[in-house]
Amino acid sequence: MADLLGLLLRVAEKAANVARVCRQEAPLFQLLVQEKTGEEKNKKFVQDFKTLADVVIQEMIRHDVGAQFPEIAAFIKGEESNKFENGLGESVTVTVCSTEEETATLLATVLDGDDTAASLLAKAIHQDPDTIESGTDGPTVPLNPSELGIWIDPIDATSQYIEGREEVLEENHLSPSGLHCALVLIGVYVRSTGEPVMGVINQPFHHKDPAGGGWRGKHYWGVCFGNIHFCSEAPPKGSPEAERRLSVVLSSSEKQMVKEALTSLCGPDRLMYASGAGYKILCVIQGLADAYVLSEGSTFKWDSCAPHALLRAIGGGVVDLSLSLRSSCGAQDQKMELTYHQPNADCTGADLWANRGGLVAYRDFSQLHSLIQTLKDKL
């Protein structure tokens, strides 16, 4: 597991490099955007997008992890279909080929013959992950790779990535939107139980290099299995939880009745709004918010698996909101925690893996209990 964590940190940084490369040239970036349709479309948004960066990152991670851990290869799932359509109407299946040149040739087909852009992407894709510093040795966990599966969200908050608004991150402050909301998420779960046990989050656009002006990223990781709990993020310091009101981060499109109920619990100044499911859970991990509440089934296993593992590593978790509201045991019941191994019955496409009951991401059980009790009368 230590070897797997190190590899995931390295391939996540490779993924961040690809995301940055795809934003370097505006005309190229406009060419890369494709609208999702049919079963792939997220019903939450009027428009949803698929980018070549999404597909390339997903397939690159699948390729690199599968090469070193072949026993996991068939259980690496991602958000994106790897079929792409170029400007000529030709459908191309994007994969990582055996050589950089072959991958460049394939990508040039998607990029309407733009060999320069295709070569640039292929070079980033074929970088040897062993040449990237992972920054950690990682803990030893008694799990065999043959017991594990992986969920990839190649670029969470794709709309923010496409819009590309540059914001300066203030330390200890949540920022509602911008490029920093776009994250690479890689989550590892136990196939037999669906328990999330390892997560890697890479924030490709964390800050600008003062010397060169280019974007630099930051990574976060967590491992939680049995009595083993490690996280790159220390529990946030500040006032004891009981001495201050809860703070909750929401989507701006959250139901009005939920906003009103939480306003009565927290106060209007303690409700915050941000883009991207992964970024909102990261805000909870960092202590920028105490919880993230979502009443709709508009997130998916690839959104929540990685940050869920980090939250578990610091004593929190992510529960199914609908199940928690109906349960006589309340949110303390571990059966309320999201799992990642079973598709939803009677669903197709992306909805197979939707978190249909909504969710609450939290750091503290007592705060979770207060949230569930507040929402029980409203939903």
Side-chain angles (χ1 to χ4, degrees), residues 66 72 95 111 127 159-160 168 171 176 295 341 345 359 374:
I72 305 180
T95 59
L111 293 167
Q127 180 183 7
S159 61
Q160 296 300 312
V168 178
E171 191 172 353
S295 64
H341 60 318
L359 59 82
T374 297

Side-chain angles (χ1 to χ4, degrees), residues 60-377:
M60 180 189 73
I61 294 171
R62 195 196 308 273
H63 173 272
D64 286 0
V65 175
Q68 291 201 30
F69 294 94
E71 57 270 67
I72 305 180
F75 297 90
I76 303 174
K77 303 185 183 77
E79 177 182 8
E80 303 295 346
S81 163
N82 64 340
K83 290 184 170 55
F84 211 86
E85 190 172 285
N86 66 8
L88 302 175
E90 299 168 332
S91 181
V92 181
T93 299
V94 175
T95 59
V96 177
C97 302
S98 56
T99 68
E100 182 178 322
E101 292 73 21
E102 289 173 329
T103 300
T105 300
L106 176 66
L107 292 174
T109 309
V110 180
L111 293 167
D112 294 336
D114 189 333
D115 292 327
T116 301
S119 296
L120 192 62
L121 278 176
K123 182 177 181 181
I125 292 165
H126 282 270
Q127 180 183 7
D128 183 350
D130 288 339
T131 64
I132 299 172
E133 176 59 50
S134 69
T136 182
D137 293 329
T140 299
V141 181
L143 277 170
N144 191 300
S146 62
E147 302 175 72
L148 305 175
I150 293 176
W151 279 111
I152 305 165
D153 192 344
I155 301 180
D156 188 53
T158 312
S159 61
Q160 296 300 312
Y161 175 66
I162 290 167
E163 188 176 339
R165 191 165 66 256
E166 298 185 6
E167 304 280 351
V168 178
L169 280 177
E170 291 185 54
E171 191 172 353
N172 300 321
H173 284 81
L174 176 153
S175 296
S177 60
L179 269 174
H180 62 273
C181 296
L183 306 175
V184 178
L185 306 174
I186 309 175
V188 182
Y189 64 94
V190 179
R191 287 183 217 167
S192 58
T193 64
E195 174 189 0
V197 292
M198 180 186 294
V200 168
I201 301 173
N202 191 297
Q203 197 171 23
F205 305 97
H206 182 266
H207 64 276
K208 286 281 188 76
D209 184 344
W215 282 103
R216 293 292 179 265
K218 183 176 181 179
H219 68 239
Y220 314 84
W221 61 270
V223 174
C224 179
F225 182 73
N227 294 321
I228 299 168
H229 298 77
F230 287 92
C231 188
S232 61
E233 291 293 289
K237 297 177 181 178
S239 304
E241 310 287 359
E243 293 182 7
R244 59 178 175 78
R245 288 173 298 154
L246 269 71
S247 61
V248 178
V249 62
L250 302 169
S251 167
S252 58
S253 61
E254 184 54 78
K255 293 174 183 173
Q256 187 60 29
M257 67 179 71
V258 173
K259 294 178 182 179
E260 291 172 359
L262 294 176
T263 297
S264 68
L265 175 67
C266 308
D269 59 321
R270 301 291 286 173
L271 286 190
M272 300 171 285
Y273 300 91
S275 298
Y279 177 68
K280 286 192 275 286
I281 305 178
L282 178 60
C283 288
V284 178
I285 295 164
Q286 294 176 307
L288 304 179
D290 294 315
Y292 162 39
V293 174
L294 178 68
S295 64
E296 300 284 350
S298 53
T299 65
F300 301 85
K301 301 306 180 189
W302 49 78
D303 294 312
S304 56
C305 186
H308 190 171
L310 271 74
L311 271 176
R312 292 182 70 239
I314 59 172
V318 183
V319 297
D320 182 302
L321 174 57
S322 180
L323 286 178
S324 297
L325 293 172
R326 296 199 306 266
S327 172
S328 59
C329 300
Q332 295 277 353
D333 188 344
Q334 286 298 311
K335 293 178 182 176
M336 302 302 107
E337 291 281 321
L338 295 184
T339 55
Y340 295 90
H341 60 318
Q342 293 179 334
N344 297 316
D346 304 320
C347 292
T348 58
D351 286 339
L352 279 167
W353 300 105
N355 298 317
R356 289 197 296 179
L359 59 82
V360 181
Y362 66 95
R363 286 187 296 111
D364 181 85
F365 262 127
S366 63
Q367 294 175 337
L368 174 63
H369 179 73
S370 297
L371 288 166
I372 297 301
Q373 291 304 117
T374 297
L375 293 171
K376 259 191 174 177
D377 299 331

